[in-house]
Amino acid sequence: MVEKWLEQLRKNGYRLTEARQAVIQVIVKSNYALTPFQVYEAARAQYPALGLVSVYRTLEKLEELKLIRRVHQDCGCNAYLPQAEGHQHLIICQKCGLACYFEGDDLEDLFTKVGADHGYEVTGHWLQLFGTCAECEQK
Ligand SMILES: [Zn+2]
Ligand SMILES: [Zn+2]
């Protein structure tokens, strides 16, 4: 997956500095929704000279290329996750940020029906559930 991302970035004329690679290493395999500051702290372990501005810029670029997606957080702050293949829905733990993608074909029918009931043709949707993951539930 890292290789795929690096390839995409190179193709788009993006220079892969050490700082940017450190950011990519952190987010590419994350199962947790990470805020830019969390990415910054984790990536600094690999590249101590990293600046927060580089983190923001790299995340922006990754989002633009649809390699990561921005998720909604309770606090109103931005957090990011690697993008899933194809159309997926998301569930996120409100305590630790653990995220999980799921499909759910019956949902697609429901949304089409809701649209029809209101005189809309539904052409897309974003669905994100909040909850508490099994591990946080035990605490
Ligand atoms: Zn949790
Ligand atoms: Zn859907």
Side-chain angles (χ1 to χ4, degrees):
M1 190 139 142
V2 182
E3 281 312 311
K4 195 183 114 195
W5 285 30
L6 298 180
E7 165 90 36
Q8 278 261 0
L9 287 161
R10 269 191 226 106
K11 259 200 301 197
N12 284 275
Y14 200 60
R15 220 159 42 83
L16 289 166
T17 60
E18 236 180 300
R20 289 164 182 172
Q21 290 196 43
V23 170
I24 290 165
Q25 293 290 347
V26 168
I27 190 104
V28 74
K29 52 181 190 253
S30 181
N31 295 321
Y32 290 83
L34 297 173
T35 65
F37 193 72
Q38 285 172 319
V39 172
Y40 169 69
E41 289 199 308
R44 264 201 318 177
Q46 189 185 326
Y47 185 71
L50 183 66
L52 196 50
V53 175
S54 297
V55 174
Y56 277 106
R57 295 229 175 99
T58 308
L59 291 174
E60 229 168 71
K61 190 72 194 179
L62 291 171
E63 189 186 7
E64 207 180 291
L65 294 173
K66 297 195 165 35
L67 294 171
I68 61 173
R69 73 190 270 179
R70 196 188 311 198
V71 300
H72 301 286
Q73 293 281 76
D74 239 10
C75 56
C77 51
N78 287 333
Y80 296 88
L81 265 180
Q83 184 65 275
E85 299 276 340
H87 176 80
Q88 300 263 310
H89 309 108
L90 193 60
I91 185 163
I92 296 187
C93 176
Q94 272 179 299
K95 291 189 176 157
C96 70
L98 181 64
C100 186
Y101 285 107
F102 66 97
E103 290 183 3
D105 290 339
D106 39 348
L107 290 171
E108 313 301 323
D109 296 342
L110 173 66
F111 296 147
T112 303
K113 184 185 177 304
V114 170
D117 287 351
H118 293 84
Y120 286 75
E121 187 193 342
V122 175
T123 54
H125 59 266
W126 290 106
L127 182 64
Q128 184 184 315
L129 307 181
F130 290 108
T132 312
C133 76
E135 202 170 306
C136 289
E137 193 67 59
Q138 283 168 14
K139 282 175 195 161

